[in-house]
Amino acid sequence: MPITFKDVFFTHDPNTPLAANALKGVNFEIEDGSFFAIVGKTGCGKSTLIQHINALLTPMSGEIRVGEFVNHPVKKKRQLKKVPELRREVGVVFQFPEYQLFEETVEKDVAFAPKNFGLKEKEALDEAHKALSLVDLDESFYKRSPFDLSGGEKRRVAIAGVLAFKPKVLVIDEPTAGLDPVGAEEMMSLFQRIHDEGTTIILVTHDMDIVLKHADKVAVMDDGKCVGVYDPKELFKEDISSYSLDDPLVYGFAKRVKQKGLDLDVSSIKDVDSLADAIIASKGGIL
Amino acid sequence: MPTLDEKRTILEVKGLTYSYDGEKNALNDVSFAVFEGTHTAIIGHNGSGKSTMAKLVMGLLTGYKGEIWAFGEKLEKSNMRSLRSRIGIVFQNPDNQFVGSTVADDIAFGLENRQIPHDEMQKIIEEFSKETNMERYLEREPSNLSGGQKQRVAIAGVLAMSPDIVFFDEATAMLDPKGRREISELVMRMRKRNPKLTVISITHDIEEAAKSDHVIVLEGGNKILDGTPNEVFSHEEKLRECNLSLPFFVTLKNALKSKGFNVPDDITDINALEDYLCR
């Protein structure tokens, strides 16, 4: 399902002294099946933006198209048509989703959404079990209380709860925040797998190494506007510090050695392995 | 730089064992020393026992086996208050540590508890809000600040108490890269200003650990490694078993090596590697 933002404006608490313009004319398009990253400093409007994708917010002006669905300015949200259908297709995993767990057991928590969407108890549990195996939680977890699990396990349960209704588009906000490095890597390979099976992924992150490694397109947000959609490698060639973005570690290193005089071809660099290849090539291969 | 064991021990735990449920040990006979004026990073994956360790040392959990020594004294019920008053803590969640309705009130909270005279208090607030670059925000409400700014206020409040040891309990885990950078620059400034200040950070950030003086690795409640970053990060197998990744510098050095491009052993940090490659 392609997603299009067209001249989207949004103001928090309009007509009050607290009014804050969060989106000031956002335009971009997300192709069906892509792994799309959204980056930008805290407060640039990323989180407000993603809440428009499944119509948790409606714009003040402009429109957002998600497949057939159109999110546009309305007086009352129930005037929007087909919101439940939209929310079956677009799953959103918010930041620190583990705070949203509420059921007695892991399987009940994960089965909540499929049941809500009309599946019978048994079918919903089947879907829940499938989703739990996707996030590497086996049947020993089914009957446990989600509150007795570790932080990383809780987060995986929360993500399974979204995967259980098989959304075609998965929106994830900072899924690796607060995880240890290996936990973060496992989390990202899970989303890569889900993407490779055909789901469109929209990822909000501060981690540019993740963007470089996983995303095929990246939108840069700055002060409520989308300043551009790039191929990640093209973006990181530029000076991105004015958007308060960090270079990925591999690119930062490549840029510094280049500045110090090493003739390095940065175009193929994606991770540490390809960086090592580029360095060796610039040194004329192995002697 | 003097080696670690030439420095004065400021905090030491001996045979520390703790269990939440009386069955499984969250910490298992852990001993280590922290040296004055150093930055020590305690790392380990989620559930390794590092937060339990921090809570014990900070006196937030009791009923442990073993000994905790701080400033040359054994921690007991009778001296807990006086020893603890020399240790400051910055917690993970910036929203969970505010009591004041303005930034200035918040920095003042600890000082008021110590009954510092008003004039003196004003001076201290001014000094540490400047130190943390928060002097323009003194009348603001803490809840309207960014994550990095909130943590800087928390740090100002801790520094105002002139502690000898500052504990950072995953204090940057919830911040964006800019907030994280602000905090790490601030920690550097603090240590430059007061070379005797000891910083202990419980962290997931391997790059931060790589820049520290002393790294302690916990796994399943046991101490696995203890030494300088260079020593600790040379034990790749063990770190992998503990589900920890290696710093960027070590990963790159290894990738080069595995492709047949050897980097000499005396290249021990990222700057040296850059210079070596550009020679």
Side-chain angles (χ1 to χ4, degrees):
Chain A
M1 269 194 311
I3 298 167
T4 324
F5 277 71
K6 200 173 160 199
D7 282 327
V8 175
F9 281 78
F10 183 81
T11 306
H12 288 288
D13 304 315
N15 310 321
T16 74
L18 294 172
N21 296 323
L23 300 180
K24 307 174 185 174
V26 174
N27 286 291
F28 65 79
E29 211 183 311
I30 302 174
E31 278 171 40
D32 191 25
S34 68
F35 199 126
F36 193 90
I38 301 174
V39 301
K41 67 177 170 207
T42 306
C44 70
K46 301 187 297 279
S47 298
T48 310
L49 184 82
I50 58 171
Q51 291 180 58
H52 283 80
I53 301 178
N54 72 342
L56 285 172
L57 296 175
T58 58
M60 305 285 157
S61 67
E63 64 172 37
I64 301 99
R65 282 179 182 270
V66 182
E68 301 288 293
F69 178 85
V70 187
N71 182 2
H72 57 90
V74 283
K75 279 230 172 61
K76 291 218 166 82
K77 216 185 278 165
R78 59 169 190 271
Q79 292 174 289
L80 278 182
K81 284 182 188 129
K82 300 196 168 173
V83 171
E85 287 86 344
L86 172 74
R87 293 193 181 150
R88 271 185 94 140
E89 313 240 287
V90 178
V92 182
V93 180
F94 289 103
Q95 240 185 89
F96 299 101
E98 53 274 26
Y99 294 143
Q100 302 168 21
L101 300 174
F102 65 100
E103 270 284 10
E104 285 166 3
T105 66
V106 165
E107 61 177 7
K108 273 192 193 166
D109 207 292
V110 177
F112 179 77
K115 238 166 77 183
N116 235 358
F117 285 130
L119 288 191
K120 294 210 181 74
E121 179 89 24
K122 170 135 192 341
E123 293 163 342
L125 281 177
D126 280 349
E127 292 303 328
H129 296 162
K130 275 187 221 157
L132 283 165
S133 79
L134 276 177
V135 298
D136 287 328
L137 294 174
D138 61 27
E139 53 194 61
S140 66
F141 284 91
Y142 293 174
K143 303 282 179 209
R144 287 174 68 183
S145 160
F147 301 102
D148 291 341
L149 306 180
S150 78
E153 288 163 352
K154 275 187 201 163
R155 186 169 301 179
R156 281 188 278 159
V157 172
I159 291 170
V162 174
L163 296 179
F165 56 90
K166 296 188 196 141
K168 294 199 180 95
V169 177
L170 184 63
V171 184
I172 22 183
D173 193 356
E174 291 282 354
T176 56
L179 294 185
D180 58 52
V182 171
E185 235 178 272
E186 284 171 3
M187 188 63 73
M188 284 317 300
S189 50
L190 164 70
F191 294 128
Q192 185 68 52
R193 223 164 48 228
I194 292 167
H195 169 259
D196 294 346
E197 284 162 14
T199 308
T200 304
I201 303 270
I202 302 171
L203 166 75
V204 172
T205 184
H206 286 296
D207 188 328
M208 298 304 140
D209 288 273
I210 287 180
V211 173
L212 184 62
K213 194 168 171 192
H214 297 278
D216 42 42
K217 281 279 174 351
V218 51
V220 179
M221 293 287 295
D222 188 38
D223 192 24
K225 285 189 176 142
C226 171
V227 296
V229 177
Y230 306 85
D231 175 330
K233 277 189 255 168
E234 295 301 320
L235 173 66
F236 297 131
K237 272 188 202 159
E238 310 295 323
D239 178 14
I240 51 176
S241 54
S242 58
Y243 303 125
S244 292
L245 299 178
D246 284 336
D247 284 320
L249 285 170
V250 285
Y251 254 70
F253 185 86
K255 279 181 184 170
R256 286 194 303 274
V257 287
K258 232 182 142 169
Q259 238 166 34
K260 288 185 184 175
L262 189 69
D263 184 21
L264 197 66
D265 174 18
V266 295
S267 63
S268 59
I269 296 173
K270 211 175 156 101
D271 49 22
V272 171
D273 203 57
S274 46
L275 171 63
D277 285 335
I279 290 171
I280 291 170
S282 74
K283 288 296 217 181
I286 308 294
L287 300 177
Chain B
M1 204 172 79
T3 57
L4 288 174
D5 42 14
E6 283 167 25
K7 295 195 170 241
R8 201 165 78 92
T9 299
I10 193 157
L11 180 82
E12 190 169 9
V13 303
K14 297 179 184 172
L16 202 58
T17 301
Y18 184 80
S19 173
Y20 288 94
D21 57 8
E23 284 171 22
K24 206 172 144 244
N25 282 346
L27 278 181
N28 207 1
D29 194 18
V30 172
S31 303
F32 62 82
V34 172
F35 306 98
E36 184 174 43
T38 60
H39 177 189
T40 298
I42 301 180
I43 60 174
H45 74 104
N46 295 345
S48 61
K50 54 192 197 313
S51 297
T52 307
M53 166 66 66
K55 283 180 192 145
L56 287 170
V57 172
M58 295 182 287
L60 300 176
L61 286 174
T62 52
Y64 54 86
K65 271 187 228 144
E67 295 176 2
I68 300 173
W69 289 70
F71 315 107
E73 280 183 60
K74 188 177 160 193
L75 192 67
E76 315 258 13
K77 228 180 189 166
S78 58
N79 61 10
M80 171 89 84
R81 280 182 83 94
S82 70
L83 294 185
R84 268 287 285 110
S85 70
R86 298 171 65 185
I87 306 179
I89 314 162
V90 183
F91 292 101
Q92 176 176 19
N93 191 335
D95 293 321
N96 289 352
Q97 44 195 325
F98 287 109
V99 282
S101 56
T102 65
V103 167
D105 279 356
D106 206 85
I107 300 175
F109 179 75
L111 299 167
E112 280 170 348
N113 276 345
R114 277 193 196 170
Q115 300 176 337
I116 307 280
H118 184 78
D119 292 351
E120 208 178 310
M121 198 149 76
Q122 287 303 332
K123 265 190 223 143
I124 298 175
I125 292 171
E126 200 179 310
E127 180 185 350
F128 289 102
S129 58
K130 269 198 189 130
E131 171 93 12
T132 50
N133 287 334
M134 291 303 292
E135 73 270 27
R136 285 181 293 124
Y137 299 90
L138 283 174
E139 296 312 315
R140 291 274 290 273
E141 240 180 272
S143 58
N144 293 335
L145 302 174
S146 76
Q149 289 170 335
K150 283 177 187 166
Q151 288 301 60
R152 266 147 59 200
V153 174
I155 293 171
V158 164
L159 290 180
M161 309 291 283
S162 48
D164 297 303
I165 299 177
V166 180
F167 246 102
F168 289 87
D169 188 5
E170 300 195 36
T172 59
M174 291 173 90
L175 302 184
D176 65 8
K178 180 163 167 271
R180 216 171 279 182
R181 210 164 34 237
E182 285 168 4
I183 301 304
S184 90
E185 281 164 10
L186 173 56
V187 170
M188 267 190 321
R189 270 207 309 280
M190 279 158 51
R191 296 185 60 211
K192 214 175 220 167
R193 211 177 91 127
N194 175 8
K196 284 196 159 173
L197 184 72
T198 306
V199 172
I200 305 175
S201 51
I202 312 272
T203 183
H204 277 156
D205 188 341
I206 295 291
E207 302 304 327
E208 181 191 338
K211 284 185 211 140
S212 71
D213 307 305
H214 181 188
V215 180
I216 293 165
V217 181
L218 296 179
E219 159 71 14
N222 297 301
K223 186 178 87 172
I224 305 293
L225 294 165
D226 183 345
T228 63
N230 210 12
E231 289 162 4
V232 165
F233 292 121
S234 65
H235 291 89
E236 282 165 51
E237 277 302 309
K238 273 194 179 160
L239 290 166
R240 203 166 300 136
E241 282 165 26
C242 301
N243 263 342
L244 289 170
S245 61
L246 293 165
F248 171 66
F249 163 71
V250 182
T251 331
L252 178 57
K253 204 168 145 181
N254 290 346
L256 287 166
K257 208 184 240 172
S258 73
K259 293 173 192 289
F261 187 95
N262 269 316
V263 178
D265 284 340
D266 59 341
I267 307 283
T268 58
D269 68 45
I270 196 90
N271 291 325
L273 181 61
E274 287 171 15
D275 292 338
Y276 173 77
L277 290 174
C278 299
R279 261 204 321 234

